[in-house]
Amino acid sequence: MSKRELVSKLRELIRKNVGLKAVQEVQGTRAHYKASEAWVVTNSKFTQQAFQLARSNGVRLIDRDELVEMLLQMKEKMSPSKKSNLGTKTSA
């Protein structure tokens, strides 16, 4: 497969909603490893069937919107507060 074909395939995958297969795979993996949680994270959306299967199996789905929100919250927590730096003096 050439780089051009690979990029084309990745673009196609990104445009598609995530379906049942991803939920089935992560549920099987959770059972195999006796994990307490199973998540499917995508930069896209999920199909209605994926939502239904995830709900009935306790699999957490994180789509593009929730992923962006999580990243923004993490960025906010990680960035230093401007207020706390204003009154701080440094010694030379």
Side-chain angles (χ1 to χ4, degrees):
M1 180 179 285
S2 72
K3 284 185 180 180
R4 179 173 283 166
E5 290 170 325
L6 179 60
V7 169
S8 177
K9 185 65 175 174
L10 289 173
R11 285 181 183 154
E12 178 184 329
L13 291 172
I14 289 170
R15 281 191 226 123
K16 290 184 179 179
N17 289 341
V18 177
L20 289 172
K21 186 176 180 182
V23 178
Q24 290 168 336
E25 288 175 357
V26 78
Q27 175 57 23
T29 302
R30 175 173 61 181
H32 178 77
Y33 290 104
K34 298 177 177 72
S36 60
E37 294 183 7
W39 293 16
V40 180
V41 181
T42 183
N43 64 346
S44 187
K45 299 287 183 181
F46 294 97
T47 64
Q48 190 60 38
Q49 293 86 1
F51 275 115
Q52 292 170 352
L53 184 61
R55 188 179 309 118
S56 67
N57 285 281
V59 173
R60 178 155 182 212
L61 301 182
I62 299 175
D63 66 5
R64 173 188 295 270
D65 296 335
E66 188 172 354
L67 181 59
V68 168
E69 185 61 35
M70 291 170 78
L71 291 170
L72 290 173
Q73 288 176 5
M74 185 59 65
K75 181 180 177 183
E76 189 176 299
K77 287 180 183 178
M78 299 290 287
S79 65
S81 172
K82 291 179 183 177
K83 264 188 181 177
S84 65
N85 289 336
L86 291 176
T88 306
K89 293 183 180 180
T90 58
S91 58

